[in-house]
């Protein structure tokens, strides 16, 4: 037993069956009782059992994520127990449970997920269930944004490019602390999209990814900070899927240049952005295109070296 068993276990209780939680389904096993003692219980297993689909989406355990909840000027805090793309569960300690007694189920909450001082999510949610056990409270909330994960009539993806081979996004999930690797459907200089199975999704709108790697190919990747903007549910190859739109919040200037250059080359086969050019060829190009014309160059002749140095810093 995980905990000390109650007195008179063998006589006060009757065994019926046991259940196995398999993420999206529940197995109910009608086993034969062999022995029950104060230390444990033994069964003889049958050849088969019953299976029931119990959840809309898989739950993922969270690790070391603090949650702050606010409603009508009052607040309390707790620990994130688990989450899905649609909902999350918070455990409130006995010290905080008194502050949580006043909550109104009909009024939205504002929630913040924190890893130390790093904000991982902010948004509105609504309470759908609560339970008291062993001096602490457990609350289950549903994301407001999760209710908007539905098919959209039209998506504006004109600036997203499909690359071959297909790049991927690799990151340590900020809530579950596990390595995630997803394929990128479309990529742009400031955003990208990925697709997940609906019932096993690890993302949800508003989630911040503090450090993510856009892997173009092994050994060629760029690093960014990103945030899930929205989700669009649809039907994939036999399974319900959700396509996430993810925006890039921050990226180093060198990685930004590499990503822009790659996308520029993929979109325009006859021209490309390049960080390595000859300065004389660059100046000739400016003259040929009319960007620098004779009168303008005459005005700059006394500052020619500064002019060249400036363009070296800008383009090289």
């Amino acid at each position: 037993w995980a905990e000390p068993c109650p007195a008179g276990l063998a006589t006060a209780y009757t065994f019926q069956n046991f259940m196995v939680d398999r993420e999206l389904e529940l197995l109910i096993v009608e086993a034969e009782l062999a022995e029950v003692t104060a230390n444990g219980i033994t069964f003889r297993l049958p050849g088969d059992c019953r299976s029931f689909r119990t959840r809309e989406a898989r739950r993922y355990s969270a690790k070391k994520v603090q949650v702050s909840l606010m409603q009508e000027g009052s607040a309390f805090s707790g620990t994130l127990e688990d989450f899905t793309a649609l909902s999350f569960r918070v455990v409130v300690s006995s010290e905080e449970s008194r502050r949580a007694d006043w909550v109104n189920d009909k009024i939205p909450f504002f929630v913040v997920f924190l890893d130390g001082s790093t904000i991982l999510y902010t948004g509105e949610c609504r309470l759908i269930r609560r339970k008291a056990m062993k001096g602490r409270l457990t609350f289950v909330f549903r994301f407001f944004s999760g209710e908007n994960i539905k098919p959209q009539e039209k998506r504006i993806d004109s600036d997203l490019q499909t690359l071959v081979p297909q790049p991927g996004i690799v990151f340590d999930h900020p809530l579950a602390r596990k390595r995630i690797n997803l394929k990128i459907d479309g990529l742009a200089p400031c955003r990208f999209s990925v697709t997940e199975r609906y019932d096993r999704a690890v993302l949800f709108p508003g989630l911040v990814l503090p450090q993510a790697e856009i892997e173009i190919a092994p050994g060629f990747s760029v690093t960014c900070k990103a945030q899930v903007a929205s989700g669009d549910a649809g039907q994939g190859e036999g399974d319900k899927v959700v396509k996430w739109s993810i925006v890039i919040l921050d990226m180093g200037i060198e990685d930004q240049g590499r990503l822009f250059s790659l996308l520029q080359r993929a979109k325009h086969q006859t021209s490309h952005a390049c960080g390595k050019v000859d300065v004389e060829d660059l100046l000739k190009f400016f003259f040929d295109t009319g960007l620098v014309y004779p009168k303008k160059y005459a005005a700059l002749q006394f500052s020619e070296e500064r002019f060249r140095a400036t363009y070296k810093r800008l383009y090289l």
Side-chain angles (χ1 to χ4, degrees), residues 292 294-305 307 311:
V292 178
K295 187 176 180 181
K296 182 176 182 180
Y297 191 70
L300 293 169
Q301 62 178 333
F302 297 108
S303 306
E304 181 179 346
E305 291 305 318
F307 173 76
Y311 276 88

Side-chain angles (χ1 to χ4, degrees), residues 141-154:
F141 295 90
R142 191 173 183 91
F143 296 110
F144 269 3
S145 55
E147 297 174 351
N148 295 326
I149 303 174
K150 56 187 180 180
Q152 298 175 5
E153 293 181 3
K154 187 177 181 180

Side-chain angles (χ1 to χ4, degrees), residues 150-203:
K150 56 187 180 180
Q152 298 175 5
E153 293 181 3
K154 187 177 181 180
R155 296 191 305 271
I156 302 175
D157 284 345
S158 58
D159 61 335
L160 291 176
Q161 292 179 236
T162 301
L163 301 182
V164 179
Q166 194 172 4
I169 179 75
V170 183
F171 60 93
D172 288 324
H173 197 286
L175 307 184
R177 315 290 188 191
K178 61 182 295 183
R179 196 72 166 168
I180 304 295
N181 193 331
L182 299 170
K183 290 183 178 180
I184 293 178
D185 304 320
L187 182 60
C190 59
R191 70 187 185 101
F192 56 92
S193 64
V194 300
T195 300
E196 287 189 285
R197 273 184 54 175
Y198 187 85
D199 57 3
R200 296 183 181 274
V202 296
L203 303 176

Side-chain angles (χ1 to χ4, degrees), residues 24-43:
L24 296 175
E25 63 180 358
L26 190 69
L27 304 183
I28 300 181
V29 184
E30 307 289 348
E32 179 186 346
L33 179 63
E35 183 184 28
V36 58
T37 69
N39 294 322
I41 188 168
T42 306
F43 310 105

Side-chain angles (χ1 to χ4, degrees), residues 196-243:
E196 287 189 285
R197 273 184 54 175
Y198 187 85
D199 57 3
R200 296 183 181 274
V202 296
L203 303 176
F204 53 85
L207 177 66
V208 175
L209 309 177
Q211 187 169 19
E213 251 182 79
I214 299 175
E215 188 179 66
I216 311 300
F220 176 30
S221 61
V222 295
T223 303
C224 66
K225 179 181 180 180
Q227 184 176 31
V228 183
S230 62
D232 183 12
Q235 197 66 31
E237 297 180 1
D239 296 306
K240 188 177 180 181
V241 297
V242 56
K243 184 173 183 178

Side-chain angles (χ1 to χ4, degrees), residues 27-102:
L27 304 183
I28 300 181
V29 184
E30 307 289 348
E32 179 186 346
L33 179 63
E35 183 184 28
V36 58
T37 69
N39 294 322
I41 188 168
T42 306
F43 310 105
R44 293 187 184 92
L45 297 179
D48 52 27
C49 64
R50 289 178 292 159
S51 172
F52 294 91
R53 179 67 179 252
T54 57
R55 292 179 183 145
E56 187 179 359
R58 177 182 171 182
R59 292 180 186 173
Y60 294 91
S61 297
K63 297 180 181 179
K64 299 180 181 179
V65 177
Q66 296 301 309
V67 179
S68 294
L69 289 150
M70 290 152 273
Q71 186 187 67
E72 293 191 324
S74 299
F76 64 96
S77 61
T79 304
L80 185 66
E81 186 80 357
D82 53 48
F83 68 94
T84 72
L86 303 171
S87 61
F88 62 95
R89 181 168 52 167
V90 177
V91 175
V92 178
S93 64
S94 55
E95 293 79 9
E96 290 282 326
S97 60
R98 295 178 183 176
R99 300 183 186 180
D101 287 339
W102 48 263

